[in-house]
Amino acid sequence: MSNNSVDAIQRIRAIAEPASVEFLPFMRPDIDARDIDEVVAVLRSGWITSGSKVKQLEEKFVQQVGCEHAIAVSSATAGLHLVLHAMGIGPGDEVITPSLTWVSTVNLIHLSGATPVFVDVDRHTLMVTAEQIEPAITSRTKLIIPVHYAGAPLDQDSIRSVASRYSVPIVDDAAHALGTYYQGAHVGSRGTAIFSLQAIKNVTTAEGGVICTDDSHLAKRLRRLRFHGLGADAFDRKTNSRLPNAEVVEPGFKCNLPDMNACLALGQLDRLASSNARRAAIAQQYSQAFMSLDAILPLDRPVYTHEHAWHLFMVRVDTDRLSIGRDALMLQLKEQGIGTGLHFRAVHQHAFYKALPLTGAAKLENTNWNSDRLVTLPLFPGMSDADVDRVIVAVKTTVSRFAI
Ligand SMILES: Cc1ncc(COP(=O)(O)O)c(C=O)c1O
C-alpha cells in the first residue's frame, strides 16, 4: 500500500473516531522520580533481596503506626498465613471473619483446616460489629479477623471488649488502613494488624505487606517463619549478606520482602499524610456531588472519632431507582473512559465456597445486598480536579439515562 493511501486511511479514521480521551483507571500508584531512583540504587547496589531497605521500611512503619514491632513480608496474604501458622490455627478451630472481604483470608482459614465462620456486616459501613460477632463465638473460636474497610476504622473498643470477654484473640485486617486512626490512635498501634502494600494500596511496594504487633514473642517467631524458620533475620548487615551458618529453628516459609520492593515505599510513607489528604479532598467532592443522586449510595462514615485513609471510594447502586444494575453501570462508565473496581464480591458466593456447607452463610443479608451493588470509583492522589469532574459527569449522565 502506498504512503498516500495509508495517510488517507488514517485521515478517515480520525474523522470517524472521536478524539480519544485517556482512560482513567480506578487507581494509579503514587510513585515519583525519587522513588524510582531508590529502586535503581538498590538494583545497582549488588544486594537486591531483603536487607537494609526492609529494615528502614519496618522502622518507618513503627513510626507511622506507633506499633512495637513491624515485620515486612511479601504480601498481606503471606503475613496472615504466617500469623495463622504461628497461632496454631488448624482442624477443629473456628475463625470468625466477614464474607465481604478479600478472598485470601477465607482461603487461608480453609487451607489451614480450620472453619471460617461468617458474620454479617453493617449495611452502610461494610464493617463487622461487636453485636454481629458475639453470637458467632463458640468454644471452638480461636480467632477473629475483622476488616477495616476502604480506609475507615472498625469500632475497635466494642470488638475488643467482646473478644476479651471470651478470651479470643483478634488479628486486624488492616490491608486498607495505612493512615487510618481510631479515636486518635493509628490502626495497628495495639494488638496485631496486617497491612497490605499491594499495587493499589495507599502505599505500595508492588506486592508486599507488613505485620504490626505488640507481642514480642510473636514478632520473633514471624521474623524467622518468613525466612525458612532460620534463627534471627539470616541477614548480616555488616557483610551485607546472609549469615552463612544460620540454622532452622522451626520449619518456616519463604515470604521475605526484597529490598528492591521495600525501598519503593520509603518516600511514599513520607508523603502519606499529604497523599491521604488529597484522597480525602477527592472523596469530599464525590460525596458532595452524589448527595443529589438517589440511585447512588456512598458508604456511611463511622459515627465514632476517626481519620479516614480513603483507600477506596465505594458506592452502591440502588437498583430500585436505576433500571440497570452494578455490572451494567461499570460497563457504561468504562465506555465513557472511566475505570471502576469491585471490593468485594462476597467470598461465600465464589464458585469453590458455594459448593461447601458454610457456617453463618445463611444469615448474610447486608453482605449479599452490598455484594450485588458495590462499585469502586477512581480515587488516587494523582487525579486532577478535571479527572474528578469527569467521573462525576459520567456517573450523573448514566444515572439520568437509566433513572426509574
Ligand atoms: C481486605 C483485604 N485483606 C487482605 C488483602 C490481601 O493483601 P495482599 O494482596 O497484600 O496479600 C487485601 C488485598 O487487596 C484486602 O483488600
Side-chain angles (χ1 to χ4, degrees), residues 3-261:
N3 280 350
N4 279 352
S5 26
V6 172
D7 282 353
I9 290 171
Q10 276 169 353
R11 272 202 306 278
I12 292 164
R13 280 210 182 120
I15 295 163
E17 291 170 12
S20 70
V21 187
E22 208 191 323
F23 189 80
L24 180 70
F26 85 87
M27 96 48 75
R28 202 180 276 141
D30 173 33
I31 292 169
D32 71 13
R34 275 165 309 166
D35 302 331
I36 294 169
D37 289 346
E38 276 276 359
V39 179
V40 173
V42 170
L43 288 173
R44 291 190 197 285
S45 75
W47 185 265
I48 59 175
T49 187
S50 313
S52 60
K53 296 297 171 183
V54 166
K55 177 105 170 44
Q56 278 178 43
L57 175 68
E58 291 177 343
E59 284 165 1
K60 275 190 191 279
F61 252 81
V62 167
Q63 262 175 26
Q64 167 68 31
V65 173
C67 56
E68 276 180 48
H69 309 278
I71 300 108
V73 283
S74 53
S75 66
T77 303
L80 183 60
H81 190 188
L82 298 188
V83 170
L84 293 179
H85 180 82
M87 289 182 154
I89 305 292
D93 296 337
E94 292 178 352
V95 180
I96 294 177
T97 197
S99 174
L100 202 67
T101 186
W102 181 230
V103 291
S104 59
T105 307
V106 182
N107 284 344
L108 288 170
I109 298 168
H110 177 80
L111 289 168
S112 76
T115 303
V117 173
F118 293 124
V119 286
D120 208 2
V121 293
D122 179 274
R123 195 173 181 99
H124 298 300
T125 67
L126 309 188
M127 289 188 279
V128 295
T129 63
E131 292 71 35
Q132 282 146 335
I133 290 171
E134 186 163 7
I137 297 178
T138 71
S139 58
R140 292 171 14 149
T141 308
K142 287 285 154 21
L143 183 63
I144 301 167
I145 310 177
V147 183
H148 298 270
Y149 218 99
L154 287 153
D155 190 1
Q156 293 188 290
D157 285 350
S158 60
I159 293 175
R160 279 178 180 149
S161 128
V162 160
S164 78
R165 215 173 317 134
Y166 293 88
S167 304
V168 180
I170 300 171
V171 170
D172 286 314
D173 182 337
H176 300 177
L178 199 48
T180 303
Y181 292 80
Y182 170 74
Q183 317 274 27
H186 199 293
V187 166
S189 54
R190 260 182 67 195
T192 299
I194 305 176
F195 294 86
S196 172
L197 300 175
Q198 180 265 343
I200 74 158
K201 300 302 183 293
N202 290 26
V203 168
T204 182
T205 53
E207 298 292 346
V210 177
I211 309 161
C212 289
T213 185
D214 55 12
D215 179 338
S216 305
H217 179 69
L218 178 67
K220 193 171 171 198
R221 278 198 73 198
L222 294 171
R223 283 188 193 288
R224 63 180 187 234
L225 282 172
R226 76 176 161 182
F227 196 69
H228 307 295
L230 291 166
D233 250 345
F235 175 75
D236 182 351
R237 290 178 216 293
K238 280 214 185 80
T239 60
N240 215 24
S241 64
R242 295 238 157 87
L243 289 172
N245 53 3
E247 285 197 87
V248 173
V249 181
E250 62 175 319
F253 301 86
K254 177 65 165 59
C255 45
N256 52 309
L257 183 72
D259 268 12
M260 57 183 279
N261 293 76

